[in-house]
Each structure stands twice: as C-alpha cells, then as structure tokens.
Amino acid sequence: MAKRIANVIVDSPIREPLDYLVPADIEIQVGQRCLVPLGTRKVVGIVVGFSEESRFSKLREVISRVDDIAPLSFGWLALTSFAARYYQSGWGQVAIPALPKFFRKLPGKLHERSLERLRKEKKRAVKEPSEKPHLNSEQSAIVEEFQMDGAFYPALIFGITGSGKTEVYLHLMEKVLLSDPAAQVLLMVPEINLTPQLVERVQSRFPQLEVVSWNSGMAEGQKASSWLACHEGRARILVGTRLSVFASFKSLKLILVDEEHDPSFKSQEGVRYNARDLALKRASIERIPIVLGSATPSLESYKNALEGKFKLFKLTQRANSNAHLPELSLVDIRKDKPVNGLSQETADAITETINSGRQVIVFLNRRGFAPVVECKNCGWQSTCPHCSTYAVFHKTTGRLTCHYCGWSTPLPKTCPKCGSYELLPIGRGTQRAEEELETRWPEARVSRLDQDSARQRGSASKVLDAVHNGDVDILIGTQIVAKGHDFKNVGLVVVLNTDPRLFSSDYRARERLFSVLMQVSGRAGRDKTEGKVLIQTRYTEDDIFKHLKSQDYEGFAAGELEARRASFMVPFSAQALLVAEGKEISSVLAFLQKLKALAEKIKGPSVRIFEPVPLTVQKVMDIERGQLLIEADNKVEMQKFLNRFQPEALSLKAKGSWYIDVDPLNY
Ligand code: ADP
Ligand code: ZN
Ligand code: ZN
C-alpha cells in the first residue's frame, strides 16, 4: 500500500516543505496545522500537500493534528508561498510567523477550552449608529463605477486631504457587505496609533456587524481572537496594519489600503515584505477588487494608474462644503531670522490663531530635546558608543539616548573629555520646542505628540482626544501629528526645520517630504475656519514648495517621475539590496565583494551591480553594516536573477551574516 506522506512547512529557512509520514489514525487536510518533530524539538507546521513518494528514505511521523479549526485556504497558502519566493525566504518563515502566537505554539492541555474562550471574546461596545453623509458627485461616481463582479480590479483613489476618501471606503464596504451575507472586508492602515479612531468610525457605521482589528500593539489574546473571528467568518471587517495582509478569511471580497504610500507597509525586519504590494497580489489570487487610497500616492502606484494598470479615481474637492484648502506660505529664514526656532512672522501667526480661539499644530520631525550635546571648550560631542550616531539629549529623562540601539546614560555634569561645565545642547527636538512654546505663550495649553510621549498604551489617543475636544491650543509633534486626523478647529500649521531633507542622499526623500508636508498641511482648515500653513525654510525657490502651494501633487509627481525615468530609478527599474553585517567593516565589504563577483558571473545584461559601500549609519549595536545594491530593468528580471543568485550565494563559504531586501525603501 502506498505510504501517505504529508508535505509540511515549518518556521525555518529550508526552502522545500519537509516530508513526514502520516500515521493511519491521524486525519489531516491540506491547510491544517500539525505537530511534527524537527531535530530534537517538536514544532507546529502547516500541511501544504500530500505525496506518495519522498526523496528521503527515513521519514519521521506527524505527531498529531493541532486542533480541528478549518484549514487555511488555498488562497492563503498561495499568498504566503508567493511572498516567500518573491522576498527570497522559506515558505514557513513567512507562513508560520503570520499566525498569532496562540496558533503556532505547542498546544497545551487546555487548548480546546482556550479556543472556546477566544470565540467568546467580549465584543466592543457599539455607540448610536453614526450619520451617513450624502456623497458628493465625485464620491458617488466612484461608488457607482466601482466593479465588484468576481474579478481582480485594482483601483487607486487619489484624493486630496479631507476629500472624503474614508467616506468612500465606507460606502464601498457597505456595497460589498450588503450584497453578500458572508462577505468580509480587509481595511489596511499604516502602523500608527490611528487604528482605534478608525475602528470606531467603521464600527459605528456597521453597528450590527463584527468589526475586529489586528496590529502589533495588541495583546496576544486579542490578536488570536481577532484572527480566529476572521478565519471562521464571524468578523466581517478587519482593520489592521501591515501584518493583516496575511490574515486568514473565510470569504474575503474587498481589500482597501489607506495611505498606500506610507513606508510602514514595508517590513524592516525578518522577511522584508511590502504589505501594499502583497495586498495587490492577494486581490489577484482571490479575484477581488482592491482600492489603494492616498492624497499623495507612491510614485509606483501613480505610474501604474497613469499607465492604466490601475483604475484611477480622483477626488479634487474637500468633502465638507464648509472646509477650505489651507493657504500655504513660506517664511524665508534667511531674512526673518528665527529666535528659539521661530521667525517673527511665525510667532505672530501663532499668537493671532490662539487669540481667535483656534488651534495650532507645530510640526518638527525630530524627537528628544537636542540631537547632540557639545562641549564648548574642547568640542566633545555626545555619541553612542555602540553606533555611528549621536546620542540624543532627552530632558524629560535627563539622559543621552541612542535612537538606534536604545543605549542611554545620564547627561554628564561635566565634559567627559576636558571636565568643562560648558555642555551645550545643539539643535532642537520636539521637547525643546515644547518648552519654548510654553515659555513664549504661558497661557496656552501645549501638548506634545511623538514616539516618546506615545509610548505608553493609550497615551497618544488621550492627546488626540484632547485636541479633538478643544483642550489643547498648541500641539507640537513629529510625523504622528500629520497622519489622517480629522481635526475640526486647526487654524494654523507651522513646519520647522525640514531643509535637511531637501538634500538627502536617498532618492525617495523628496517624495516623502512632499507627502508628509501635504499630510500635515491637510490638518488645517478642515471645518468652517480658514486654515493657514507656514513653512520656515532657507530654500524658498525649491520646486517642491511651488507644487505644495498649489496642492499640486500631479505636477510634483510628473516632475519626479520624469527625473526618475531619466536616471533609470525605481519605478523605472527594480532594486534589491544585499546587506551584510559583521565585526569589522573591512571584512564586511570584502564579503560583499565576493557576492558581487558571484553576481557579475550570473547576471545577464538587464542587471547592474554596484560597488559595496558601508550603510549610511554604518554601525548599530556594535555591528558594522555594508550594502551591495543590485538594479534590474524590471521586477521580473530581478526575480530571475535573484532566483539563480540566492542558492549559489547561500552555498558560498564565507563569514558574516547577510540578508536580501527586495524592493528596499531605505538605504
Ligand atoms: P479623507 O479620508 O479624504 O481625509 P474623510 O473621509 O475623513 O476624508 O472626510 C473628511 C471630513 O469630511 C470628515 O469629517 C467627513 O465626515 C466629511 N465628509 C466626507 N464626505 C462627506 C460628504 N459627502 N458630505 C459631508 N461631509 C463629508
Ligand atoms: Zn570638553
Ligand atoms: Zn546606539
């Protein structure tokens, strides 16, 4: 009789599924989780197929099936398998970590009872359903034209801030959810603390449906319960961050990716996947529509839309007829010299705004008090002993802290080198700006929102609620303040110190800067009151400001795309980055030279290999890092190359660890 052999994926770099014999008394299907021996351990794996023969002679046996929850779908297996191949890692390395801990750990004695508990997890309290506004003509055109007839249908909604994109999402969801009592919708959002507000907005629109969320900040139990509710079809809507692209659904019918340009959709550790791109892949596997939405689409998506690969929808007006687009002006800080960071014109505008009872947002994309402390006597500077970076002074804790590795030490009283007392904080972060604002406007209620103040769970929501309730006059913060908040009473947005980003060596820096400035400007004038934006800069002639002033994303994008076309940059080419790490930069670079030699041997004419160089931040946590950039004419050519290169590179005998970052975002 033929042996029954299960092909099982486990969390390891091994490319091929492992073969295990299935004992006659174990019933198991493709997509179910099982317990298998691996080396001396027992681990949870997923059955991805069966065969009658194996290349290996001595097979071990499947120990048991983990539980009887429904198998993971073929669509889910296809997605994780694709992601593994595309990002050059093991299938199990993608699939297993994509499950919440509860479903990948060895089942305990009370596993079945825990499952029952997860199924009964308390639902959120639902408030009085919310009002559904009448869509304007641009909005309703999208909802009417949108196709949902069982085919892959990628669409990009390019809509200025406040144009009612979220409202369109809600209508599209309604269309899908009402047409099919089992239909499920996935709404993906960037990795920030916005999820609670959005989940509430969604839940109050669909009070009778189960809405769940999935993000990295949640407790494990919650994650497991959300996951199971989607898997078993009870939850009809999932609002989640990048990991949710790997959620399991019983009947997924629509995917929405809000702020699709946001870099947080790209994972920067482990398997470096881009959840926006995988969402597109998933929609194509499941043959369903997908909507990408943004006020400043990524150039990749915008190009796809211009070329007709995505259906392009535009929202050109603010949805709320009372709302105005903010008026944007530049403050030339060569003429109007800042005092404590603020030019006279800026300070006057702040005073005026507060006096008229409206709120001010000050945007400064740098946290801490001062980015570096310097000795006036000998020139000593606060650096991190483990990284090639400065240690940032945090006044709230009185410490110097490295933002790369977390190393931290109390601020010395005297210079560690010469003993002088003259230690000066140089530059300005949000903490310092907060202090200066409080000193200058002692009557005003000032709040700060950045990664430090948001660290405790719920504290970001508290600050945001305070702003919404009018309990804050001036909000100072980093990028977090720019994201999608629907503040009703912001009269002025002030932008400080973005000049360094105009000249970054990263070719995406201008795209990012434009996007974040559009986002933060979009917080002003969202209801009734006129909004104003002031940007302090020394480079008033820069093109980026010309387009910002007229809210002209399309003009900006056209210029950037042309520049990238001319220099064969992404999206007119594809990139992959080989990053190597080690104790000495010389040996790291020598290893990368070996990889380069191998790559040169394998590559065809459509692939170009650059010189190995140290990373911009060369050392982190005492590990030296170097990179080798590879460029191909397009993604298909890149994949062909990597599929040949990777196995050979893995068999190179050389020191040091390394990884591949396909479609890298930062370097
Ligand atoms: P976006 O997601 O594009 O920033 P939102 O969907 O959050 O925009 O809409 C911005 C504001 O306008 C919200 O307060 C929303 O309730 C309101 N709004 C959206 N669509 C309409 C509409 N058709 N009529 C009136 N108000 C609307
Ligand atoms: Zn000194
Ligand atoms: Zn460090």
Side-chain angles (χ1 to χ4, degrees):
M1 198 184 97
K3 289 176 290 185
R4 194 148 160 268
I5 296 165
N7 318 124
V8 177
I9 54 171
V10 295
D11 187 0
S12 94
I14 307 164
R15 289 302 149 111
E16 299 296 315
L18 303 174
D19 289 349
Y20 290 92
L21 288 172
V22 186
D25 60 335
I26 294 184
E27 282 234 19
I28 194 155
Q29 304 170 41
V30 169
Q32 282 193 309
R33 287 142 43 250
C34 59
L35 217 56
V36 291
L38 183 70
T40 56
R41 294 178 299 148
K42 277 193 248 174
V43 298
V44 170
I46 301 169
V47 179
V48 297
F50 291 102
S51 49
E52 288 177 2
E53 300 286 329
S54 173
R55 302 190 275 134
F56 303 97
S57 50
K58 275 197 187 146
L59 296 184
R60 301 170 80 180
E61 287 190 345
V62 170
I63 300 166
S64 64
R65 194 178 66 195
V66 175
D67 51 36
D68 58 3
I69 68 168
L72 292 151
S73 69
F74 284 98
W76 190 90
L77 293 174
L79 175 75
T80 48
S81 161
F82 169 84
R85 270 178 286 128
Y86 189 86
Y87 294 103
Q88 304 290 319
S89 60
W91 188 356
Q93 273 178 309
V94 174
I96 306 286
L99 302 175
K101 273 213 181 89
F102 179 84
F103 295 98
R104 58 181 141 102
K105 68 171 174 51
L106 302 185
K109 275 206 200 92
L110 301 175
H111 187 78
E112 289 301 326
R113 242 200 266 169
S114 310
L115 271 178
E116 280 319 305
R117 229 185 16 249
L118 287 177
R119 288 185 175 114
K120 287 200 200 104
E121 185 93 335
K122 207 164 84 245
K123 304 220 180 97
R124 76 189 72 242
V126 179
K127 291 186 190 162
E128 67 297 347
S130 71
E131 283 274 322
K132 192 167 95 181
H134 255 297
L135 296 188
N136 63 35
S137 56
E138 284 186 328
Q139 289 173 312
S140 48
I142 301 180
V143 179
E144 270 157 38
E145 254 192 72
F146 198 79
Q147 277 161 33
M148 315 192 173
D149 45 11
F152 174 51
Y153 178 76
L156 173 67
I157 300 182
F158 157 52
I160 60 167
T161 53
S163 59
K165 291 183 291 297
T166 312
E167 202 49 58
V168 171
Y169 303 157
L170 291 168
H171 275 78
L172 292 174
M173 287 160 93
E174 184 177 308
K175 206 168 159 179
V176 169
L177 294 167
L178 297 188
S179 69
D180 169 355
Q184 294 173 295
V185 174
L186 167 61
L187 170 56
M188 287 168 50
V189 295
E191 185 75 55
I192 28 154
N193 299 310
L194 258 189
T195 348
Q197 273 94 357
L198 190 59
V199 173
E200 254 172 50
R201 191 167 165 188
V202 173
Q203 179 72 80
S204 67
R205 185 62 69 83
F206 302 103
Q208 70 285 17
L209 302 184
E210 186 169 342
V211 179
V212 295
S213 55
W214 203 27
N215 63 65
S216 58
M218 283 165 54
E220 283 303 328
Q222 275 179 304
K223 283 188 201 170
S225 127
S226 288
W227 187 90
L228 193 61
C230 291
H231 179 72
E232 297 187 331
R234 286 187 304 282
R236 304 285 304 281
I237 302 171
L238 172 63
V239 181
T241 51
R242 65 168 175 262
L243 189 63
S244 63
V245 76
F246 291 121
S248 167
F249 293 94
K250 200 169 176 198
S251 184
L252 183 63
K253 294 296 180 203
L254 171 68
I255 304 178
L256 302 142
V257 184
D258 191 25
E259 313 283 4
E260 66 87 26
H261 64 279
D262 197 291
S264 73
F265 284 120
K266 169 93 175 167
S267 167
Q268 297 295 354
E269 57 185 26
V271 181
R272 289 168 159 75
Y273 64 93
N274 186 320
R276 191 258 331 269
D277 295 346
L278 285 182
L280 283 159
K281 185 68 193 178
R282 181 161 200 175
S284 110
I285 291 172
E286 314 253 8
R287 284 195 238 110
I288 57 172
I290 176 168
V291 176
L292 310 181
S294 177
T296 54
S298 63
L299 291 179
E300 284 87 341
S301 297
Y302 187 57
K303 177 171 174 279
N304 281 332
L306 291 180
E307 291 172 354
K309 289 182 190 144
F310 299 169
K311 169 80 187 164
L312 179 61
F313 292 111
K314 293 185 197 176
L315 294 173
T316 60
Q317 310 289 326
R318 283 213 154 167
N320 185 331
S321 50
N322 290 318
H324 302 268
L325 274 179
E327 170 203 327
L328 189 146
S329 337
L330 302 176
V331 180
D332 188 340
I333 56 173
R334 288 167 299 193
K335 298 185 188 131
D336 187 349
K337 293 239 155 53
V339 177
N340 289 335
L342 300 179
S343 291
Q344 193 57 46
E345 186 183 346
T346 313
D348 291 346
I350 293 179
T351 304
E352 195 185 310
T353 309
I354 303 176
N355 287 347
S356 66
R358 287 178 298 160
Q359 296 166 307
V360 178
I361 292 182
V362 180
F363 172 64
L364 173 60
N365 212 5
R366 189 183 251 171
R367 64 193 174 94
F369 186 85
V372 59
V373 171
E374 212 173 80
C375 170
K376 203 176 164 191
N377 184 44
C378 75
W380 171 87
Q381 291 184 315
S382 59
T383 50
C384 173
H386 306 289
C387 307
S388 44
T389 54
Y390 290 122
V392 176
F393 176 44
H394 284 249
K395 198 167 182 178
T396 47
T397 55
R399 301 174 79 87
L400 294 169
T401 299
C402 173
H403 286 182
Y404 282 79
C405 72
W407 174 85
S408 156
T409 187
L411 178 73
K413 293 209 167 44
T414 59
C415 171
K417 204 167 142 199
C418 75
S420 156
Y421 280 89
E422 290 191 276
L423 292 180
L424 299 179
I426 306 291
R428 175 174 294 98
T430 45
Q431 290 176 9
R432 188 172 201 168
E434 179 188 24
E435 200 175 282
E436 289 163 351
L437 290 164
E438 279 171 340
T439 311
R440 199 121 147 204
W441 287 277
E443 322 282 67
R445 295 159 299 176
V446 180
S447 268
R448 175 166 56 87
L449 186 58
D450 55 28
Q451 292 88 318
D452 299 309
S453 73
R455 193 144 294 155
Q456 296 107 322
R457 202 171 284 184
S459 63
S461 307
K462 258 188 222 141
V463 175
L464 291 173
D465 285 346
V467 178
H468 282 293
N469 295 335
D471 297 332
V472 170
D473 299 306
I474 308 179
L475 176 67
I476 160 92
T478 55
Q479 205 127 324
I480 310 184
V481 302
K483 309 269 174 161
H485 313 293
D486 192 18
F487 299 133
K488 301 289 189 202
N489 191 31
V490 173
L492 174 69
V493 169
V494 172
V495 175
L496 303 180
N497 198 23
T498 57
D499 283 352
R501 300 235 267 153
L502 290 171
F503 305 101
S504 166
S505 61
D506 179 350
Y507 72 95
R508 284 180 209 266
R510 293 175 69 82
E511 180 186 349
R512 293 249 177 85
L513 180 60
F514 185 85
S515 158
V516 76
L517 291 182
M518 280 281 265
Q519 287 283 339
V520 74
S521 306
R523 296 320 107 204
R526 288 176 78 86
D527 202 9
K528 297 186 190 76
T529 57
E530 306 258 320
K532 201 169 162 182
V533 181
L534 289 178
I535 300 179
Q536 295 195 166
T537 178
R538 309 172 175 275
Y539 303 96
T540 48
E541 325 66 32
D542 199 295
D543 243 22
I544 210 169
F545 296 125
K546 195 182 78 199
H547 293 300
L548 266 176
K549 269 183 149 169
S550 48
Q551 294 260 331
D552 180 20
Y553 164 81
E554 291 177 289
F556 171 78
E560 284 295 302
L561 280 174
E562 205 33 60
R564 297 223 195 146
R565 185 200 302 279
S567 50
F568 302 110
M569 285 290 190
V570 174
F572 297 92
S573 63
Q575 293 184 330
L577 206 59
L578 306 186
V579 179
E581 304 174 331
K583 283 246 173 301
E584 307 280 341
I585 191 66
S586 55
S587 52
V588 167
L589 294 177
F591 173 61
L592 286 173
Q593 280 296 352
K594 276 190 203 163
L595 290 181
K596 179 178 153 102
L598 175 66
E600 293 284 1
K601 213 167 64 190
I602 290 175
K603 80 178 191 70
S606 59
V607 172
R608 296 164 288 283
I609 317 286
F610 288 71
E611 271 304 303
V613 288
L615 253 65
T616 314
V617 177
Q618 180 179 321
K619 186 174 75 168
V620 168
M621 288 174 142
D622 293 314
I623 293 169
E624 302 278 350
R625 310 170 317 159
Q627 68 175 45
L628 176 65
L629 178 63
I630 299 172
E631 195 179 271
D633 286 354
N634 54 52
K635 290 185 174 184
V636 175
E637 292 300 323
M638 179 61 86
Q639 285 294 312
K640 278 192 207 155
F641 166 78
L642 289 177
N643 289 338
R644 292 191 56 202
F645 172 79
Q646 160 95 351
E648 291 208 33
L650 283 178
S651 62
L652 267 187
K653 274 211 201 79
K655 272 191 297 188
S657 61
W658 62 287
Y659 61 82
I660 296 184
D661 187 349
V662 182
D663 304 332
L665 274 194
N666 310 301
Y667 55 90

Coordinates of all heavy atoms in Angstrom, one line a residue, residues 60-98:
R60 N 10.3 10.8 9.4 CA 9.7 10.7 10.7 C 8.1 10.9 10.6 O 7.6 11.2 9.5 CB 10.3 11.9 11.6 CG 11.8 11.6 11.7 CD 12.5 12.8 12.3 NE 12.4 12.8 13.7 CZ 13.0 13.7 14.5 NH1 13.6 14.7 14.0 NH2 12.9 13.6 15.8
E61 N 7.5 10.8 11.7 CA 6.0 10.8 11.6 C 5.4 12.1 12.2 O 5.9 12.7 13.1 CB 5.4 9.6 12.4 CG 5.6 8.3 11.8 CD 4.8 7.2 12.5 OE1 4.4 7.4 13.6 OE2 4.7 6.1 11.8
V62 N 4.3 12.5 11.6 CA 3.4 13.5 12.1 C 3.0 13.1 13.5 O 2.6 11.9 13.7 CB 2.2 13.8 11.2 CG1 1.2 14.7 11.9 CG2 2.6 14.4 9.9
I63 N 3.1 14.0 14.5 CA 2.8 13.6 15.9 C 1.3 13.6 16.1 O 0.6 12.7 16.6 CB 3.5 14.4 16.9 CG1 5.0 14.3 16.7 CG2 3.1 14.1 18.3 CD1 5.8 15.3 17.4
S64 N 0.7 14.8 15.7 CA -0.8 14.9 15.8 C -1.2 16.1 15.0 O -0.4 16.9 14.6 CB -1.1 15.1 17.3 OG -0.6 16.3 17.8
R65 N -2.5 16.2 14.9 CA -3.1 17.4 14.4 C -3.3 18.4 15.5 O -3.6 17.9 16.6 CB -4.5 17.1 13.8 CG -5.1 18.1 12.9 CD -6.4 17.6 12.4 NE -7.4 17.4 13.4 CZ -8.5 16.7 13.3 NH1 -8.8 16.1 12.2 NH2 -9.3 16.6 14.3
V66 N -3.1 19.7 15.3 CA -3.1 20.6 16.5 C -4.5 20.7 17.0 O -4.8 20.6 18.2 CB -2.5 22.0 16.1 CG1 -2.7 22.9 17.3 CG2 -1.1 21.9 15.7
D67 N -5.5 21.0 16.1 CA -6.9 21.2 16.6 C -7.7 21.0 15.3 O -7.2 20.7 14.2 CB -7.1 22.5 17.3 CG -6.6 23.7 16.4 OD1 -6.7 23.6 15.2 OD2 -6.1 24.7 17.0
D68 N -9.0 21.2 15.5 CA -9.9 21.0 14.3 C -10.4 22.3 13.7 O -11.5 22.3 13.1 CB -11.0 20.0 14.6 CG -11.8 20.5 15.8 OD1 -11.6 21.6 16.3 OD2 -12.8 19.8 16.2
I69 N -9.7 23.4 13.9 CA -10.2 24.6 13.2 C -10.1 24.4 11.7 O -9.2 23.6 11.3 CB -9.6 25.9 13.7 CG1 -8.1 26.0 13.3 CG2 -9.7 26.1 15.2 CD1 -7.5 27.4 13.5
A70 N -10.9 25.1 10.9 CA -10.9 24.9 9.5 C -9.5 25.1 8.9 O -8.7 25.9 9.4 CB -11.9 25.9 8.9
P71 N -9.2 24.4 7.8 CA -7.9 24.5 7.2 C -7.7 26.0 6.6 O -8.7 26.6 6.3 CB -7.9 23.6 6.0 CG -9.1 22.7 6.2 CD -10.0 23.4 7.1
L72 N -6.4 26.4 6.6 CA -6.1 27.7 5.9 C -6.4 27.5 4.4 O -6.2 26.4 3.9 CB -4.6 28.0 6.2 CG -4.3 28.3 7.6 CD1 -2.9 28.0 8.0 CD2 -4.6 29.8 7.9
S73 N -6.9 28.5 3.8 CA -7.4 28.3 2.4 C -6.3 28.2 1.4 O -5.1 28.6 1.7 CB -8.3 29.5 2.0 OG -7.5 30.7 1.9
F74 N -6.6 27.7 0.2 CA -5.6 27.7 -0.9 C -5.1 29.0 -1.2 O -3.9 29.2 -1.5 CB -6.2 26.9 -2.1 CG -6.3 25.5 -1.9 CD1 -7.5 24.9 -1.5 CD2 -5.2 24.7 -2.1 CE1 -7.6 23.5 -1.3 CE2 -5.2 23.3 -1.9 CZ -6.4 22.7 -1.5
G75 N -6.0 30.0 -1.2 CA -5.6 31.4 -1.5 C -4.5 31.9 -0.5 O -3.5 32.5 -0.9
W76 N -4.7 31.5 0.8 CA -3.8 31.9 1.8 C -2.4 31.2 1.6 O -1.4 31.8 1.7 CB -4.4 31.6 3.2 CG -3.6 32.1 4.3 CD1 -3.8 33.3 4.9 CD2 -2.5 31.5 5.0 NE1 -2.9 33.5 5.9 CE2 -2.1 32.4 6.0 CE3 -1.8 30.3 4.9 CZ2 -1.0 32.2 6.9 CZ3 -0.8 30.0 5.8 CH2 -0.4 30.9 6.8
L77 N -2.5 29.9 1.3 CA -1.3 29.2 1.0 C -0.5 29.8 -0.2 O 0.7 29.9 -0.2 CB -1.5 27.7 0.8 CG -2.0 27.0 2.1 CD1 -2.4 25.6 1.7 CD2 -1.0 27.0 3.2
A78 N -1.3 30.1 -1.2 CA -0.7 30.7 -2.5 C 0.0 32.0 -2.2 O 1.0 32.3 -2.7 CB -1.8 30.8 -3.5
L79 N -0.7 32.8 -1.3 CA -0.1 34.1 -1.0 C 1.2 34.0 -0.2 O 2.2 34.6 -0.6 CB -1.1 34.9 -0.1 CG -0.6 36.3 0.4 CD1 -0.6 37.3 -0.8 CD2 -1.4 36.8 1.5
T80 N 1.2 33.2 0.8 CA 2.4 33.0 1.6 C 3.5 32.4 0.8 O 4.7 32.8 0.9 CB 2.2 32.2 2.9 OG1 1.4 31.0 2.6 CG2 1.3 33.0 3.9
S81 N 3.1 31.5 -0.1 CA 4.1 30.8 -0.9 C 4.7 31.8 -1.9 O 6.0 31.9 -2.1 CB 3.5 29.7 -1.7 OG 4.2 29.3 -2.8
F82 N 3.9 32.7 -2.5 CA 4.4 33.7 -3.4 C 5.3 34.7 -2.6 O 6.4 35.0 -3.1 CB 3.2 34.5 -4.0 CG 3.7 35.8 -4.7 CD1 4.1 35.7 -6.0 CD2 3.7 37.0 -4.0 CE1 4.6 36.9 -6.7 CE2 4.2 38.2 -4.7 CZ 4.7 38.1 -6.0
A83 N 4.9 35.1 -1.4 CA 5.7 36.1 -0.7 C 7.1 35.5 -0.4 O 8.1 36.2 -0.5 CB 5.0 36.5 0.6
A84 N 7.1 34.2 0.0 CA 8.4 33.6 0.3 C 9.3 33.6 -0.9 O 10.5 33.9 -0.8 CB 8.1 32.1 0.8
R85 N 8.8 33.2 -2.1 CA 9.6 33.2 -3.3 C 10.0 34.6 -3.6 O 11.2 34.9 -3.9 CB 8.8 32.6 -4.5 CG 9.0 31.1 -4.6 CD 8.2 30.5 -5.7 NE 6.7 30.5 -5.3 CZ 5.8 31.1 -6.1 NH1 6.0 31.6 -7.2 NH2 4.5 31.0 -5.7
Y86 N 9.1 35.6 -3.6 CA 9.5 36.9 -4.0 C 10.5 37.6 -3.1 O 11.4 38.2 -3.6 CB 8.2 37.8 -4.1 CG 8.4 39.1 -4.8 CD1 8.3 39.2 -6.1 CD2 8.7 40.2 -4.0 CE1 8.6 40.4 -6.8 CE2 9.0 41.4 -4.6 CZ 8.9 41.5 -6.0 OH 9.1 42.8 -6.6
Y87 N 10.3 37.4 -1.8 CA 11.3 38.0 -0.9 C 12.4 37.1 -0.5 O 13.1 37.3 0.5 CB 10.5 38.5 0.3 CG 9.6 39.7 -0.1 CD1 8.2 39.5 -0.2 CD2 10.1 40.9 -0.4 CE1 7.4 40.5 -0.7 CE2 9.2 41.9 -0.8 CZ 7.9 41.7 -1.0 OH 7.0 42.7 -1.4
Q88 N 12.6 36.0 -1.2 CA 13.7 35.1 -1.1 C 13.9 34.6 0.3 O 14.9 34.7 1.0 CB 15.0 35.9 -1.5 CG 15.0 36.5 -2.9 CD 15.1 35.4 -3.9 OE1 15.8 34.4 -3.8 NE2 14.3 35.5 -5.0
S89 N 12.8 34.0 0.8 CA 12.9 33.3 2.1 C 12.1 32.0 2.1 O 11.5 31.7 1.1 CB 12.4 34.2 3.3 OG 11.1 34.5 3.0
G90 N 12.2 31.3 3.2 CA 11.5 30.0 3.3 C 10.0 30.2 3.4 O 9.5 31.2 4.0
W91 N 9.2 29.3 2.8 CA 7.7 29.4 2.9 C 7.3 29.5 4.3 O 6.5 30.3 4.8 CB 7.1 28.2 2.1 CG 5.6 28.3 1.9 CD1 4.8 29.2 2.4 CD2 4.9 27.4 1.2 NE1 3.5 28.9 2.0 CE2 3.5 27.8 1.2 CE3 5.2 26.2 0.4 CZ2 2.5 27.1 0.6 CZ3 4.1 25.5 -0.2 CH2 2.8 26.0 -0.1
G92 N 7.8 28.5 5.1 CA 7.4 28.5 6.5 C 7.8 29.8 7.3 O 7.2 30.1 8.3
Q93 N 8.9 30.4 6.9 CA 9.4 31.6 7.5 C 8.4 32.7 7.3 O 8.4 33.7 8.1 CB 10.7 32.0 7.0 CG 11.9 31.4 7.6 CD 13.2 31.9 7.0 OE1 13.3 31.8 5.7 NE2 14.1 32.3 7.8
V94 N 7.6 32.7 6.3 CA 6.6 33.7 6.0 C 5.3 33.2 6.7 O 4.7 34.0 7.4 CB 6.3 33.9 4.5 CG1 5.1 34.8 4.3 CG2 7.5 34.4 3.8
A95 N 4.9 32.0 6.5 CA 3.6 31.5 6.9 C 3.4 31.4 8.4 O 2.4 31.8 8.9 CB 3.3 30.2 6.2
I96 N 4.4 30.8 9.0 CA 4.2 30.5 10.5 C 4.2 31.8 11.3 O 3.3 32.0 12.1 CB 5.3 29.5 11.0 CG1 5.3 28.2 10.2 CG2 5.1 29.2 12.5 CD1 4.2 27.3 10.4
P97 N 5.2 32.7 11.1 CA 5.1 34.0 11.9 C 3.9 34.8 11.5 O 3.5 35.7 12.3 CB 6.4 34.7 11.5 CG 7.3 33.7 11.0 CD 6.4 32.7 10.3
A98 N 3.2 34.5 10.4 CA 2.0 35.3 10.1 C 0.8 34.8 10.9 O -0.2 35.5 10.9 CB 1.7 35.1 8.6

